[in-house]
Amino acid sequence: MPDDSIKGSIRTMMSRSFNGRALGDDDDIFALGFGNSLFAIQLVAFIEREFNIEIDGSDLDMANFKSIDAIAKLVQSKLDSGA
């Protein structure tokens, strides 16, 4: 289970990106119309920088980035594996 601080960092980034709009942890950001290709690039760069991990090609599955929960789970798995 991801650490609450991981979700908090992701939530803060999303709030800034979406003009303060609050999202539920399981809200699908792409289905809600918030995600686009530029945002996806910014999100990956933020994740890599914020958590000091590397997102590789095998991680670039839409399911890993569709919600705060999904992103936090990906980050936690990368941190746990030391990647």
Side-chain angles (χ1 to χ4, degrees), residues 6 8-9 21 25 27-28 31 46 60-61 72 76-77 80-81:
I6 293 171
S9 294
R21 169 99 173 12
D25 287 353
D27 287 348
D28 186 326
F46 165 79
L60 296 176
D61 181 336
Q76 189 65 61
S77 71
D80 289 347
S81 71

Side-chain angles (χ1 to χ4, degrees), residues 2-71:
D3 185 299
D4 285 340
S5 65
I6 293 171
K7 286 185 182 184
S9 294
I10 296 165
R11 196 176 294 111
T12 298
M13 182 272 190
M14 297 260 190
S15 179
R16 282 190 307 241
S17 297
F18 305 146
N19 295 321
R21 169 99 173 12
L23 294 173
D25 287 353
D26 62 348
D27 287 348
D28 186 326
I29 61 173
F30 297 101
L32 291 172
F34 291 112
N36 59 37
S37 58
L38 178 59
F39 174 72
I41 293 167
Q42 292 171 332
L43 180 58
V44 168
F46 165 79
I47 292 167
E48 289 182 327
R49 183 180 61 252
E50 180 75 10
F51 301 105
N52 197 30
I53 59 174
E54 185 174 327
I55 301 298
D56 57 42
S58 65
D59 299 319
L60 296 176
D61 181 336
M62 188 70 81
N64 287 332
F65 298 94
K66 71 178 187 172
S67 67
I68 293 169
D69 279 340
I71 297 164

